[in-house]
Amino acid sequence: MEIGIVGKPNVGKSTFFEAATLAGAEIANYPFTTIDANKGMGYLRAKCPHVELNVQCQPNNSTCLDGTRFVPVELLDVAGLVPDAHSGKGLGNKFLDDIRQAKMLIHVVDISGSTDAEGNPVDPGTHDPADDVVFLEKEMDYWMKGIIMKEWYKISRMAESQGKKLESLLYDKLTGLGINIHQIIESLHHLDFGEKYTKWTDDQLLELASDLRSRSKPLIIAANKADRVEEESIENLITSAGDYTVIPTCAEAELALRRADKAGMIRYRPGGGDFEMVDEGNLNSAQIKGLERIREVLDRFGSTNIQKTLETAAYDLLDLIVVYPVEDEHKFTDKDGRVLPDAHLVRSGSNAKDLAYKVHTDLGDNFIRAIDCKTNRTIGADHELKDGDVVKIHANA
């Protein structure tokens, strides 16, 4: 489940990525610092079922801190996008290539208005961050339209004259963009341009591309550098962004906190609203002053909101839930005796068989039944899973 972190250069995109992952992305104050896509693991907070089940968990693919499970999700930090990227300007082709399989996008925007359309530094407040939201949509729409146009003459004629389903023909061409057949069917039904496919105009194809983009690449806006602006600037972006969720973020503060925690200077938990200095006597005055400035940020926003952005993206926009497969339904262990070892992210509405396939293809192919370990009830393949479920899967050997 890959989440792409996107935006123009020099808005704090790579800082956001490293703050969320501590993956060591290169960070600098000039365009195109990120050339090759960086991959790393962010973590989503979830309530660990060990508290409810009164056992001590032994996480394998995740971490548990005082009853909070940190569940991994893959993040992708891609090259900065500039206007006319769909025509190959800047690193446009590489950017658009990198986000093909992303299930959703976090668009990092410089809310302070201190970077121009191409990511060059300008005086704060001289660039409207709302323009960046529009330009990202435009670049992705034209990119997707270009892919559709390459085969449109052929597939529109096949659909019109040979009676082949347009959605199937489009799916064959667009599956590499992470677009599924259901999204294509929904777009075609919503737009309803008629069945004279060869007569569809350029504007209609652009509208199709835009609709497919919004369905296949849902987007949330991280209004970064929020500590540098007044509330009015944040409210203006929220108004301009329309239906998009806008979350004010402070990536530099989060990165500083995570580094300080890693160095043993403070105790800090990602997403927390405060931190504790471990040994203030060993910190110099500049370090203490810097940490106190960050505490003011936390007081203002409740947190740096990096964690909040990830979780809003995953839980609200992607509608993910966390489930825990085990092999022993009584002890809640895997084959190695570890208690509640693995936490898996699945779409809300997923069933027991979907989870079986998530764990291993053979389990899905040979699925017999499953057990809801919290209730000890047998459940079938179509049983819809709930957030926090602990499930034992039975399959033929």
Side-chain angles (χ1 to χ4, degrees), residues 46-53 69 71 315 320-326 332 340 342-346 355 372-375 385-391:
K47 184 179 178 181
C48 184
H50 89 257
V51 177
E52 179 185 351
L53 297 172
R69 187 69 74 108
V71 185
Y315 293 143
L320 300 178
I321 60 173
V322 184
V323 292
Y324 301 81
V326 297
F332 317 115
L340 298 168
D342 295 325
H344 285 286
L345 292 165
V346 298
L355 175 60
D372 180 336
C373 300
K374 290 184 177 179
T375 64
L385 301 172
K386 304 184 301 297
D387 189 44
D389 273 354
V390 180
V391 179

Side-chain angles (χ1 to χ4, degrees), residues 13 32 48 65 72 107 148 154 249 279 287 343 362:
K13 183 168 54 64
F32 303 125
C48 184
L65 297 174
H107 184 188
I148 294 171
K154 177 182 177 181
T249 61
D279 187 357
Q287 289 171 326
D362 288 345

Side-chain angles (χ1 to χ4, degrees), residues 122-157:
V122 295
D123 291 336
T126 57
H127 179 79
D128 186 352
D131 292 344
D132 298 336
V133 179
V134 175
F135 112 78
L136 180 70
E137 290 181 323
K138 174 187 172 184
E139 293 303 326
M140 292 185 64
D141 290 349
Y142 274 98
W143 165 65
M144 202 166 283
K145 179 197 171 189
I147 293 170
I148 294 171
M149 288 288 291
K150 285 180 181 178
E151 299 286 343
W152 184 249
Y153 178 76
K154 177 182 177 181
I155 64 177
S156 63
R157 285 178 61 86

Side-chain angles (χ1 to χ4, degrees), residues 174-200:
L174 300 178
T175 182
L177 305 185
I179 301 175
N180 64 48
I181 188 71
H182 302 293
Q183 291 162 344
I184 295 171
I185 291 171
E186 288 169 355
S187 281
L188 294 175
H189 177 73
H190 170 70
L191 297 172
D192 193 21
F193 291 147
E195 296 183 2
K196 293 292 184 182
Y197 308 123
T198 56
K199 302 296 184 183
W200 287 12

Side-chain angles (χ1 to χ4, degrees), residues 148 170 187-188 191 200 204-212:
I148 294 171
L170 278 172
S187 281
L188 294 175
L191 297 172
W200 287 12
Q204 287 175 318
L205 291 176
L206 181 60
E207 195 173 345
L208 172 62
S210 180
D211 196 82
L212 285 170

